[in-house]
């Protein structure tokens, strides 16, 4: 990740100047309510809600005690069971994982590494089955330091052999596995025809304004329309027509060579392409060497649409949704039928985006979803000190997005999304990770993981803490009403700071949760989120290990007397982050990806855990199913 100190635009300077009045407003509200100042929860500043003196959380479970450990742990009355581990067979006649790193060819038949975003897609298609479906799971990256003996994170890119590099390419991407519940336990259907691995070698189409553009043409694809594979898949989303969106996050780490051969070298620099090649690909595969194939990087960092119900389908990169370190792609069908996708660009000082389709989607005619994501308006958010949020369109020919300013076409705007967002004066955020819409209230939650690089003179109304090591959650409030009445296409929303993460007992953090938050309940580094069917927010964290704590899953009410009061449900084993929380439609299973267990170890021989098997030498990233022992809804 690179530092992008893009705070030079006049609009941003104005916002920073305004933050003082915003802060006065904050403290005014804090003293207006029943909670004492000094970390008291401030409620919803702009919607007129306040906080309660006594919390009545809607979450019925007894909170887990937080312990950093070799094993995962879950709250009393719950079970957490492994469903799919790295290396588990995904095809008939493939042997059980034997404890050795598979070859690339073998890995293609096995569940991928470092599971991340999870979509549960009910079977049969169109049903809301909660005990049978497809788990569509991103496999974001590999952790060579705990896969291969004698390698560290820093030297693996130079040390890996071609076989090891090829294994890595086969272990990243996306895994689709059929799963069934039997007797309260989930298991993979090993020989399912739906089972499929997608990797950086899988053929995909480019669609939307960038397809066929000169900057995406390569030796292997002179038309600029057919791409080999997807890469660094992190967050995602599900469309109403039954497809999965997988987000390409960090292509910059997977390329070697120099950007200078590119006609848009400055753009690649802005996107962090520094030739780091941390998985060693450029040494063996020319297309990952920017000196040899300068346009190949432009074919990554898009949102990719996958049809998991058709194993023969070709995934499609939807370029109209912009190019960035894509994290979330949360899909909402607006009340007028148009499809809205909220997206974050996960890097320091990057932005919050929204895409609104031109056409409406008709649920009675699922075919209206086909290619609907190819045409629409991409916008970027400016958070003002008065509590208003303005969506600034990134449309070629409007405002500064003209040829004179380096944007020759809409394709050009999209290839240079970050620069277009700079030009219109978007608000630089503290690493925007996951976004989700509350199905009950219609409010949209945008998670800022952290930003150690934010300095005092770069503060703005939505990013209020210098050296933000703890992260925060921003609430975006569309006009129009609750739930389905919310207008997700409006130009202007309101916004609020939902929680400021950190230890509330440490005043220096300026953490802000509900005042009754327990010693186990506060969290740091919120990362991925999900809503249960009741509209409660579930937060997965990534970065607690830096504070001597396990990462985990916290439930939290977003309205009512316990608004902003988190409770700890689940903790990961050592070195792992919790990612991709995903509920079945009945709310009774919460799937969670336990990503990169033991990755905090310098080398494999020092692995901090061998979770989940606790035998052999290899820890295994895995998807876990959390269920209530009495069969009730998670959190009830
Ligand atoms: Fe892949 Fe932004 O986490
Ligand atoms: Ca993430
Ligand atoms: Ca999510």
């Amino acid at each position: 990740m690179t530092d992008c100190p893009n705070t030079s635009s006049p609009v941003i300077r104005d916002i920073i100047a305004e933050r003082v009045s915003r802060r006065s407003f904050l403290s005014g509200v804090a003293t207006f309510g029943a909670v004492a100042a000094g970390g008291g929860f401030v409620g919803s500043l702009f919607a007129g809600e306040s906080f309660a003196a006594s919390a009545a959380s809607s979450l019925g479970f007894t909170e887990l005690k937080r312990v950093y450990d070799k094993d995962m742990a879950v709250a009393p009355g719950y079970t957490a069971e492994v469903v799919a581990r790295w290396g588990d067979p995904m095809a008939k006649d493939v042997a059980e994982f034997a404890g050795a790193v598979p070859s690339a060819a073998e890995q293609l038949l096995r569940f991928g590494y470092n599971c991340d975003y999870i979509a549960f897609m009910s079977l049969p298609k169109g049903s809301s089955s909660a005990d049978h479906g497809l788990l569509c799971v991103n496999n974001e990256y590999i952790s060579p330091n705990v896969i291969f003996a004698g390698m560290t994170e820093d030297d693996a890119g130079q040390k890996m052999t071609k076989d090891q590099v090829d294994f890595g390419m086969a272990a990243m991407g996306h895994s689709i596995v059929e799963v069934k519940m039997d007797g309260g336990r989930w298991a993979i259907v090993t020989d399912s025809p739906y089972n499929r691995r997608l990797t950086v070698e899988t053929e995909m189409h480019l669609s939307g304004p960038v397809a066929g553009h000169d900057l995406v043409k390569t030796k292997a694809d002179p038309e600029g329309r057919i791409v080999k594979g997807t890469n660094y898949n992190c967050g995602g989303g599900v469309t109403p027509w039954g497809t999965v969106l997988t987000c390409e996050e960090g292509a910059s780490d997977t390329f070697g060579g120099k950007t200078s051969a590119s006609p848009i070298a400055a753009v690649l620099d802005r996107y962090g392409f520094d030739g780091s090649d941390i998985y060693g690909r450029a040494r063996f595969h020319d297309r990952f060497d920017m000196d040899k194939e300068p346009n190949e990087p432009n074919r990554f960092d898009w949102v990719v649409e996958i049809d998991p119900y058709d194993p023969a389908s070709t995934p499609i990169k939807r370029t109209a949704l912009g190019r960035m370190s894509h994290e979330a792609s949360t899909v909402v069908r607006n009340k007028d039928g148009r499809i809205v996708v909220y997206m974050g660009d996960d890097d320091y000082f990057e932005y919050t985006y929204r895409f609104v389709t031109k056409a409406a989607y008709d649920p009675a005619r699922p075919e209206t979803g086909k290619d609907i994501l190819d045409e629409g308006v991409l916008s970027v958010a400016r958070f003002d000190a008065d509590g208003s949020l303005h969506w600034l369109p990134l449309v070629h020919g409007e405002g500064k997005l003209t040829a004179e300013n380096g944007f020759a076409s809409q394709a050009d705007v999209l290839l240079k999304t970050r620069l277009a967002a700079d030009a219109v004066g978007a608000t630089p955020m503290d690493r925007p990770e996951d976004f989700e819409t509350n199905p009950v209230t219609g409010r949209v939650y945008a998670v800022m993981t952290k930003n150690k690089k934010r300095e005092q003179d770069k503060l703005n109304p939505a990013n209020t803490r210098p050296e933000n090591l703890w992260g925060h959650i921003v609430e975006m409030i569309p006009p129009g009403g609750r739930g389905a009445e919310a207008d997700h296409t409006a130009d202007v929303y309101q916004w609020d700071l939902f929680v400021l993460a950190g230890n509330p007992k440490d005043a220096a953090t300026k953490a802000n949760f509900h005042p009754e938050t327990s010693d186990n309940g506060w969290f740091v580094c919120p990362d991925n989120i999900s809503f249960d069917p009741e509209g409660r927010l579930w937060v997965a964290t990534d970065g607690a290990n830096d504070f001597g704590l396990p990462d985990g899953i916290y439930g939290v009410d977003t309205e009512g007397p316990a608004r902003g009061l988190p409770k700890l449900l689940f903790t990961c084993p050592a070195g792992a982050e919790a990612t991709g929380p995903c509920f079945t439609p009945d709310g009774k299973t919460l799937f969670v990806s336990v990503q990169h267990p033991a990755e905090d170890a310098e080398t494999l021989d020092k692995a901090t855990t061998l979770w989940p098997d606790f035998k052999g030498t290899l820890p295994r990233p895995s998807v876990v199913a959390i269920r209530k022992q009495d069969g009730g809804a998670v959190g009830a």
Side-chain angles (χ1 to χ4, degrees), residues 1 14 120 158 184 212 248 265 272 283 386 464 477-478 480 524 581 587 608 620 630:
M1 296 289 177
D14 291 348
F120 177 84
Q158 289 80 50
E248 298 182 331
R283 291 188 287 118
D386 64 358
T464 57
I477 309 165
V524 289
T608 46
R620 298 171 73 186
D630 68 5

Side-chain angles (χ1 to χ4, degrees), residues 11 15 18 21-22 25 45-47 352 380-392 425-427 429 460-463 474-479 490-497:
V11 179
I15 286 180
E18 278 180 294
S21 58
R22 157 94 180 165
F25 184 38
L45 297 182
F46 302 109
T352 302
V380 64
R382 191 187 78 215
F383 295 86
D384 283 357
D386 64 358
S388 61
L389 185 174
H390 298 260
W391 290 107
L392 312 170
T427 302
M429 310 296 284
N460 63 48
N463 300 272
V474 178
E475 191 174 47
M476 307 195 287
I477 309 165
D491 293 337
V492 182
Y493 291 15
Q494 289 189 302
W495 68 275
D496 200 355
L497 293 171

Side-chain angles (χ1 to χ4, degrees), residues 458-536:
K458 289 187 195 162
L459 299 181
N460 63 48
N463 300 272
T464 57
R465 293 183 291 177
E467 200 182 346
N468 179 6
L469 301 175
W470 318 279
H472 59 284
I473 301 179
V474 178
E475 191 174 47
M476 307 195 287
I477 309 165
R482 283 173 67 84
E485 289 306 306
D487 182 4
H488 293 275
T489 67
D491 293 337
V492 182
Y493 291 15
Q494 289 189 302
W495 68 275
D496 200 355
L497 293 171
F498 176 57
V499 296
L500 300 178
N503 183 352
K505 286 189 174 157
D506 178 357
T509 68
K510 299 192 172 72
N512 199 11
F513 289 103
H514 189 287
E516 293 178 23
T517 300
S518 80
D519 286 344
N520 294 300
W522 59 267
F523 54 76
V524 289
C525 307
D527 194 273
N528 285 190
I529 54 173
S530 191
F531 279 94
D532 67 25
E534 305 294 317
R536 289 179 293 236

Side-chain angles (χ1 to χ4, degrees), residues 388-406:
S388 61
L389 185 174
H390 298 260
W391 290 107
L392 312 170
L394 301 178
V395 175
H396 177 252
E398 288 187 13
K400 292 184 178 172
L401 304 181
T402 59
E404 302 82 70
N405 292 315

Side-chain angles (χ1 to χ4, degrees), residues 117 236 328 330 434-436 528-530 580-581:
Y117 172 79
T330 296
D434 204 3
F435 294 15
E436 290 288 345
N528 285 190
I529 54 173
S530 191

Side-chain angles (χ1 to χ4, degrees), residues 130-366:
D131 58 7
H132 185 200
L134 303 175
L135 279 187
C136 305
V137 184
N138 283 341
N139 300 113
E140 187 182 20
Y141 68 105
I142 58 163
S143 307
N145 59 314
V146 286
I147 297 174
F148 304 121
M151 288 189 204
T152 67
E153 271 182 5
D154 294 334
D155 67 17
Q158 289 80 50
K159 281 189 173 173
M160 289 164 77
T161 64
K162 181 169 188 300
D163 284 349
Q164 290 171 329
V165 167
D166 290 352
F167 155 79
M169 289 167 63
M172 290 168 64
H174 191 86
S175 300
I176 299 170
V177 284
E178 182 177 342
V179 289
K180 257 186 181 163
M181 195 170 55
D182 192 10
R185 305 189 77 154
W186 287 97
I188 294 177
V189 180
T190 307
D191 59 355
S192 167
Y194 293 107
N195 291 355
R196 184 179 185 190
R197 288 293 323 285
L198 297 102
T199 73
V200 76
E201 301 284 355
T202 306
E203 183 175 299
M204 309 199 166
H205 291 166
L206 268 182
S207 75
V210 174
H213 191 280
D214 282 350
L215 285 168
V216 291
K217 293 175 180 170
T218 62
K219 291 186 201 79
D221 176 28
E223 301 293 317
R225 294 182 185 275
I226 299 175
V227 178
K228 260 175 100 177
T230 188
N231 200 28
Y232 239 98
N233 304 76
C234 192
V238 171
T239 69
W241 51 96
T243 61
V244 173
L245 303 180
T246 177
C247 294
E248 298 182 331
E249 191 185 6
S252 58
D253 284 347
T254 62
F255 281 83
K258 293 183 290 301
T259 57
S260 49
S262 168
I264 52 166
V267 175
L268 293 186
D269 292 344
R270 175 76 167 79
Y271 278 80
F273 286 84
D274 57 4
S276 53
D277 191 27
I278 64 174
Y279 305 111
R281 293 180 186 174
R283 291 188 287 118
F284 305 108
H285 300 279
D286 284 354
R287 71 180 171 116
F288 292 105
D289 182 339
M290 294 184 286
D291 294 319
K292 294 175 179 153
E293 198 59 273
N295 285 343
E296 187 72 7
N298 303 331
R299 294 146 65 86
F300 293 96
D301 291 343
W302 303 105
V303 170
V304 188
E305 185 172 10
I306 302 169
D307 180 356
Y309 293 107
D310 178 3
S313 59
T314 303
I316 302 174
K317 300 200 177 193
R318 301 289 182 189
T319 64
L321 276 64
R323 178 193 193 190
M324 62 195 79
S325 285
H326 275 287
E327 188 68 36
S329 51
T330 296
V331 183
V332 187
R333 181 176 176 270
N334 200 53
K335 55 187 172 183
D336 65 359
R338 284 183 288 170
I339 297 298
V340 179
V341 188
Y342 292 99
M343 298 172 286
D345 183 355
D346 181 12
D347 211 337
Y348 301 102
F349 305 105
E350 289 302 339
Y351 302 122
T352 302
Y353 293 88
R354 183 188 72 176
F355 179 78
V356 180
T357 60
K358 183 177 181 201
Y361 171 70
D362 178 0
R365 294 189 306 131

Side-chain angles (χ1 to χ4, degrees), residues 397-459:
E398 288 187 13
K400 292 184 178 172
L401 304 181
T402 59
E404 302 82 70
N405 292 315
F407 302 99
S409 62
Q410 185 61 23
D412 218 25
V413 168
L414 295 166
L415 281 158
K416 306 170 183 171
T417 302
R418 286 182 172 180
L419 286 78
D422 295 346
V424 301
T427 302
M429 310 296 284
D430 285 346
R431 289 190 49 194
E433 275 263 348
D434 204 3
F435 294 15
E436 290 288 345
T437 303
N438 186 325
V440 174
T441 67
R443 293 180 178 190
V444 185
Y445 291 76
V447 179
M448 306 303 138
T449 292
K450 59 185 168 188
N451 184 354
K452 63 177 186 284
K453 298 181 181 180
R454 190 173 291 280
E455 293 165 5
Q456 191 75 32
D457 64 354
K458 289 187 195 162
L459 299 181

